[in-house]
Amino acid sequence: MLPVLSSAVLMLVAVATVSATEAQPEQAAPLATLEDCDGLKWWDQCTRTAGCHWIPDYKFCSNSTDPATIPCKHFGLQCISYLDRCSFNETFGTCSELGDDVPCSLLRHSSLCERASDRCTYSETARLCYATDTAVPCSQLTFEKDCRATTHCEYDFAARACYKKSKPLRCPAIQSKSGCLNHPGCAWREPAGLCRPEDEEPICGMHGMEECNADTACEWSTANLLCKPTGAELPCFALRSEADCTNAPGCVYDDASFHPCRSADAIVPCDRLYTRTACHAAASDCEFVDDALLCKGKHSPVPCSRYFDAGSCQAAGCEYYRRRCHTKDSYAPCDSMLTALECTRTGCDWDWAKLSCGNLEEDNGPMGAPATEDANASDATETLADVSAKQPGAASAGTADTTAEADAHTEL
């Protein structure tokens, strides 16, 4: 006969079972992927998302704080510091993975697109160039008739927007206030003039001062010149004064870098160090090139565009013409340039009245007579002024512009 267990013993067994169940550790949340973070375009969106980190030097949200893991497309003009793994197109100012071509979306003129006809196609309807192995981005078709004539696209009359049939229409793709308010789940954000999901947390990082003050969920930081969520603490990179930085937990101040205040564990990219001393002291993989006035990674070559006189340019294996240093064998006549960006980046003069490219002065090409010493001195003075103007503000603007151009052609 089996013994009968008392109620007290049964209770102890039950408690032990429950305790054992409760003691089991909870399953860890999955780590954020690069794709999860890459879609977050503003710093406050990024910093409040678990597993994501805002990289202030490149205005990019990543799942890692190491610049070595950032996709080349986000570097823009700072691509020159990562030429060991990235390719910089000096004509368009774009950065891409080694071996990749310039994105079709940047070849806006039909003639430029036709030059890359082996991989790109120009759409007269959408007035853009796109990769042949993809479809025309529906979001770029602004007229209903063009949208309906495109087999993979659908037009939402209430929202007044064209979208891909296989994907639901997303709020950011809606450009008008009336269309936004007519679409379920969307809300029109004033004063930014954007259509966003109605359940989305406020995004203050996209506001300037005027828009920030008009948004009740945001407040303007006068000391740091940026908009932040009301009551929120600012991250290290947003603190502008040395006193605020040193008093903030986990922050360190270093006035030799582009963002003087940074997290103690942040990795400062070589190209964001602007003095020889800071470059040499920063890390073992950084080196300063005097002729190019550039701090770069030791294994990354110096781009031709960073040499400012004929002597150092030619010594580096580059070609000097039109008062600039160019990549070898890249010469093309000015009148062959079809866009203002392509024209001015190669040292030519863009005529906005005629929408054509011409020479600033007599163009002898790369095989012409070397520049005189006086001309070299003048060129160096002008270019150094350009360089100082680019550091640090203009370089950041170049990065943001490049990211914005890429975003403009991303299918929503």
Side-chain angles (χ1 to χ4, degrees):
M1 181 177 178
L2 294 174
V4 178
L5 297 177
S6 68
S7 58
V9 172
L10 291 173
M11 183 175 294
L12 287 172
V13 171
V15 169
T17 302
V18 172
S19 299
T21 302
E22 292 178 346
Q24 293 179 356
E26 294 183 6
Q27 188 174 3
L31 296 175
T33 65
L34 180 60
E35 290 73 22
D36 293 334
C37 303
D38 193 3
L40 306 176
K41 303 302 181 185
W42 292 280
W43 70 265
D44 51 331
Q45 262 189 321
C46 180
T47 54
R48 68 184 176 218
T49 303
C52 293
H53 309 272
W54 186 251
I55 312 298
D57 295 295
Y58 305 115
K59 294 182 172 59
F60 166 66
C61 188
S62 175
N63 64 335
S64 169
T65 59
D66 186 356
T69 65
I70 298 176
C72 296
K73 66 178 182 179
H74 291 287
F75 290 133
L77 297 179
Q78 279 68 53
C79 189
I80 58 178
S81 293
Y82 299 92
L83 295 180
D84 55 331
R85 67 180 182 91
C86 302
S87 176
F88 182 62
N89 185 290
E90 296 184 13
T91 299
F92 293 98
T94 57
C95 192
S96 58
E97 307 298 325
L98 282 177
D100 287 358
D101 296 305
V102 174
C104 297
S105 60
L106 293 181
L107 307 177
R108 294 187 179 87
H109 193 282
S110 59
S111 299
L112 284 176
C113 191
E114 287 167 4
R115 291 187 192 177
S117 59
D118 58 324
R119 61 185 181 88
C120 302
T121 300
Y122 190 80
S123 168
E124 293 290 350
T125 304
R127 293 173 293 282
L128 58 81
C129 186
Y130 65 96
T132 303
D133 59 358
T134 64
V136 176
C138 299
S139 60
Q140 300 299 310
L141 300 173
T142 55
F143 297 104
E144 180 183 359
K145 63 180 181 62
D146 295 334
C147 181
R148 296 193 184 280
T150 307
T151 55
H152 64 280
C153 299
E154 186 68 61
Y155 190 81
D156 187 310
F157 184 78
R160 299 178 185 176
C162 186
Y163 65 99
K164 195 172 183 178
K165 285 181 179 178
S166 60
K167 294 183 179 180
L169 176 61
R170 298 176 57 200
C171 302
I174 303 173
Q175 304 297 318
S176 68
K177 180 176 181 178
S178 58
C180 182
L181 297 178
N182 286 331
H183 193 69
C186 296
W188 187 254
R189 302 298 188 194
E190 296 285 8
L194 296 174
C195 188
R196 307 295 302 181
E198 61 183 1
D199 59 351
E200 181 181 65
E201 291 186 63
I203 303 175
C204 302
M206 64 182 178
H207 290 328
M209 182 173 65
E210 184 177 348
E211 293 84 4
C212 185
N213 291 332
D215 192 329
T216 56
C218 306
E219 63 182 0
W220 181 255
S221 172
T222 303
N224 299 291
L225 301 178
L226 87 168
C227 187
K228 67 184 186 72
T230 302
E233 294 293 330
L234 285 173
C236 299
F237 65 79
L239 301 175
R240 299 172 67 90
S241 77
E242 182 174 0
D244 289 344
C245 181
T246 53
N247 289 329
C251 298
V252 294
Y253 190 83
D254 178 11
D255 60 3
S257 60
F258 180 69
H259 285 276
C261 189
R262 55 185 173 84
S263 301
D265 59 349
I267 300 174
V268 181
C270 299
D271 67 298
R272 291 305 196 174
L273 301 169
Y274 298 126
T275 67
R276 185 183 296 101
T277 302
C279 181
H280 290 161
S284 58
D285 62 341
C286 292
E287 65 178 358
F288 194 85
V289 182
D290 290 307
D291 287 341
L293 300 178
L294 172 70
C295 182
K296 69 173 191 65
K298 287 184 176 178
H299 302 292
S300 181
V302 178
C304 295
S305 60
R306 291 295 305 209
Y307 292 108
F308 307 124
D309 64 82
S312 59
C313 173
Q314 293 166 349
C318 306
E319 293 177 338
Y320 190 85
Y321 55 91
R322 299 186 194 131
R323 296 177 177 262
R324 298 189 185 193
C325 189
H326 303 262
T327 304
K328 188 176 178 61
D329 299 327
S330 65
Y331 176 81
C334 290
D335 58 10
S336 68
M337 311 295 174
L338 299 178
T339 67
L341 180 63
E342 184 183 21
C343 178
T344 55
R345 280 192 183 280
T346 52
C348 301
D349 181 42
W350 182 256
D351 187 328
W352 284 102
K354 298 179 180 178
L355 296 180
S356 62
C357 188
N359 296 325
L360 281 169
E361 55 189 40
E362 183 179 357
D363 184 2
N364 295 319
M367 301 305 294
T372 64
E373 182 176 353
D374 289 342
N376 287 344
S378 174
D379 294 342
T381 302
E382 291 177 0
T383 314
L384 288 174
D386 293 340
V387 171
S388 63
K390 287 181 180 178
Q391 300 176 355
S396 294
T399 308
D401 291 344
T402 305
T403 304
E405 287 176 352
D407 292 344
H409 294 280
T410 301
E411 178 64 44
L412 296 170

